[in-house]
Amino acid sequence: MILRHREYMLKALKMAQEAFNAGEIPVGALVVVNDEIIALSRNRTEELHDPTAHAETLVMAEALKVIDEKWLNDAVIYSTLEPCPMCASAAVLYRVKRIVFGAYDSKWGACGSVYNIAGDGNLNHRIEVIGGVMERECGGIINAFFNSKRKLPPGL
């Protein structure tokens, strides 16, 4: 299973690179159902002038269109960054089965690092979470993006 996580995260990283190239915070996400990728997306907040156009929310909405159902009960979301409170809450509402993410988010993470919306026992649905898959690579693209915005050399 670990090899599959890596395979899917590599595809999410490609989406993150597309976001980076478009001047977006480089987060990529995809939805897998029954070992098949059914939707891919990336951050599009700048492009759409919409602060809610995160890779995870966009990919979940697209996945529902593909499967033509109300819930994502059998879905696994792969994201290069730990979902924020908005995205984790949306995943709970969509009833996602599992979230697999790369880099932890020490400011906005809502799947265990800052908040734990995905596992909150007060909510009607809890999501299995696997964090840190290809963490170095996923964190690296985020760091490179912000370093480029700050005009810092890579690796600082």
Side-chain angles (χ1 to χ4, degrees), residues 77-146:
I77 295 177
Y78 287 83
S79 178
T80 57
L81 184 65
E82 180 181 4
C84 71
M86 176 187 71
C87 294
S89 296
V92 168
L93 293 172
Y94 279 110
R95 298 184 186 174
V96 167
K97 178 180 178 180
R98 180 181 305 125
I99 295 172
V100 180
F101 68 85
Y104 288 85
D105 187 339
S106 62
K107 293 184 181 181
W108 289 95
C111 290
S113 62
V114 179
Y115 309 102
N116 192 11
I117 292 170
D120 189 328
N122 293 311
L123 301 175
N124 68 329
H125 179 73
R126 278 162 296 294
I127 302 169
E128 178 188 349
V129 174
I130 299 171
V133 174
M134 297 183 65
E135 182 176 7
R136 187 176 52 82
E137 296 88 342
C138 293
I141 193 169
I142 295 280
N143 290 336
F145 176 80
F146 285 111

